[in-house]
Amino acid sequence: SWSFFQPSLLASLNAQKAQVQRQRLAFDVTARSAVLSIQQAYFQLQASKSLIDSFERIYKINLEQVNYVQERQKAGLINIGAVEQARAQLYAQMNQLISFYENYLQNAASLAMAMNEPTDQIILPSDNLEAIGSWTKTLQDTVNQALSLREEIKGYLQSEAALNWNASAAMRQYLPTLMLQGFYYGLYSKGKADSSVNYDTSYTYKALGLGVTWNIFDGGVAAAQSQAYKAESRNARYQADYEKYQVREQIKTTYAAYNTSILSLQNAKANLDAANKTIEVNRARFTVGLADITSIVQSMQLLGQASEAYSNSLLQYNNSVAELYRYSAEWPKGVAIPLAEKINQLKQD
């Protein structure tokens, strides 16, 4: 038999296609979130390395200053209080440096986990912490791009389409199914009768007809199933609309954070430059007796604070740029090609 007329078949196929497309969109969502997590973990590791480099430099300056103060104290040019004050500053910033090493190891483990690498493996950043670029699109262009490309929104819309097709399929299942039916029967025999007469007989029977199946009393059940699918479809539409609202707010918040981070980065860089100049001037003044050890200690503290502020500002800036790429559904540079290669590999496997 051949069922050549099945009213619900096309709708069921379209529903399955929509579900497959939704699964592909879910993969893209997971991939984008994974890329952002790896980026942020890497930026955090870079920031930890930047702080270690900065405070190692400050430690060396402090150590030189302590040795110089000790020599002057031995020569009777300053009192022991200045030496102890310089040592206290050295030990305080040494404690900070130790904590930065601890954070570095923790951040390396976090990055290894994000990359699905063994957590006992220490990952070193291949480059220093720097601004990764800029976001050139306007706020409105960014919002429009996100609303048209975000897979989360498309996923809900595909769910809506699949449920609508399921609703149609449920109603069409009530309609009769037409089928072409065929039947063939044959009998053949050959032999000898009474050991002298040969015989050869055959018998065939053929039939061809049109069949109909129709569950005539299932109309109410089909209608109820269809209504249930339609209700789920409306819910998927509501979820898509709510997701659009969330995307708008997400883009606005991230865009504002990006612009704020630009100002913060500029201010932190100016503060760091000023702190470096201050320590140079105060060390020179201390050498000729125009400044005391308190000025040196305060300058060291300001340099440490400025270094932390600059590193944090760079981290916030890079995170905001990475988030704009993620939330606007745009792949960062250098990600699209490796991702396509990975997808092809998964398909082959």
Side-chain angles (χ1 to χ4, degrees):
S1 65
W2 173 38
S3 300
F4 62 90
F5 180 70
Q6 301 180 59
S8 64
L9 180 59
L10 180 60
S12 297
L13 290 175
N14 288 333
Q16 291 299 320
K17 289 180 180 178
Q19 287 291 358
V20 170
Q21 183 60 28
R22 184 177 183 279
Q23 292 175 357
R24 291 176 178 174
L25 293 169
F27 173 82
D28 288 342
V29 171
T30 303
R32 290 189 189 279
S33 298
V35 169
L36 178 61
S37 297
I38 292 173
Q39 282 183 302
Q40 291 180 330
Y42 186 75
F43 295 151
Q44 188 67 57
L45 186 63
Q46 283 183 314
S48 297
K49 181 64 167 56
S50 175
L51 286 173
I52 289 173
D53 292 341
S54 297
F55 274 75
E56 282 183 345
R57 171 177 167 267
I58 294 173
Y59 175 78
K60 291 178 181 178
I61 295 174
N62 267 324
L63 185 59
E64 291 175 2
Q65 194 64 39
V66 168
N67 292 334
Y68 176 74
V69 171
Q70 285 177 335
E71 292 299 324
R72 295 194 66 180
Q73 190 269 333
K74 291 178 182 178
L77 299 177
I78 56 176
N79 58 42
I80 190 64
V83 176
E84 295 304 323
Q85 191 174 3
R87 285 177 178 171
Q89 175 62 22
L90 176 69
Y91 298 146
Q93 291 194 325
M94 184 60 186
N95 285 333
Q96 288 181 285
L97 181 58
I98 293 172
S99 68
F100 292 147
Y101 273 110
E102 182 181 358
N103 291 336
Y104 180 83
L105 295 175
Q106 292 175 351
N107 293 331
S110 298
L111 178 59
M113 182 177 295
M115 296 173 62
N116 198 26
E117 297 288 343
T119 54
D120 58 348
Q121 181 177 353
I122 302 299
I123 300 177
L124 301 177
S126 60
D127 46 9
N128 295 324
L129 180 64
E130 296 177 349
I132 60 173
S134 60
W135 185 258
T136 58
K137 293 182 176 65
T138 64
L139 174 60
Q140 190 57 50
D141 289 342
T142 306
V143 171
N144 292 339
Q145 177 175 306
L147 293 177
S148 63
L149 298 181
R150 281 288 290 268
E151 289 84 359
E152 294 90 339
I153 299 173
K154 291 182 179 180
Y156 286 123
L157 294 178
Q158 287 296 330
S159 293
E160 179 192 18
L163 290 166
N164 280 332
W165 282 116
N166 282 330
S168 299
M171 283 300 299
R172 293 175 187 178
Q173 283 179 350
Y174 173 69
L175 299 175
T177 300
L178 302 181
M179 65 188 71
L180 187 64
Q181 295 178 321
F183 177 78
Y184 176 85
Y185 174 76
L187 178 64
Y188 175 77
S189 64
K190 182 179 180 181
K192 250 182 205 186
D194 298 331
S195 301
S196 60
V197 179
N198 294 327
Y199 68 90
D200 187 350
T201 61
S202 63
Y203 171 77
T204 60
Y205 175 76
K206 303 176 183 177
L208 184 65
L210 185 66
V212 179
T213 60
W214 186 14
N215 297 322
I216 193 170
F217 297 108
D218 290 347
V221 175
Q225 289 178 339
S226 178
Q227 291 299 319
Y229 281 127
K230 288 181 179 180
E232 292 182 40
S233 173
R234 289 192 295 271
N235 183 58
R237 165 58 69 171
Y238 296 150
Q239 288 178 314
D241 292 340
Y242 182 68
E243 187 67 28
K244 289 179 180 180
Y245 170 78
Q246 286 187 311
V247 166
R248 288 191 185 95
E249 293 302 310
Q250 199 174 42
I251 292 295
K252 290 178 182 178
T253 302
T254 307
Y255 199 88
Y258 167 71
N259 285 294
T260 303
S261 67
I262 294 176
L263 299 176
S264 176
L265 182 58
Q266 293 172 348
N267 182 71
K269 182 64 171 63
N271 184 29
L272 181 60
D273 292 340
N276 279 311
K277 291 178 181 179
T278 299
I279 190 63
E280 291 176 4
V281 170
N282 284 335
R283 288 185 72 189
R285 286 169 56 86
F286 181 78
T287 302
V288 297
L290 296 179
D292 57 13
I293 191 61
T294 301
S295 299
I296 300 295
V297 170
Q298 291 175 344
S299 299
M300 288 293 181
Q301 292 173 346
L302 291 175
L303 181 58
Q305 293 170 1
S307 298
E308 285 191 78
Y310 182 65
S311 178
N312 290 334
S313 296
L314 271 174
L315 177 60
Q316 292 173 2
Y317 176 85
N318 287 348
N319 280 338
S320 64
V321 173
E323 288 172 354
L324 282 172
Y325 274 98
R326 166 64 184 94
Y327 300 145
S328 65
E330 181 174 337
W331 292 111
K333 295 179 181 179
V335 172
I337 294 177
L339 180 64
E341 294 175 351
K342 185 63 176 178
I343 292 175
N344 292 331
Q345 180 182 351
L346 291 174
K347 289 180 179 179
Q348 293 175 359
D349 295 341

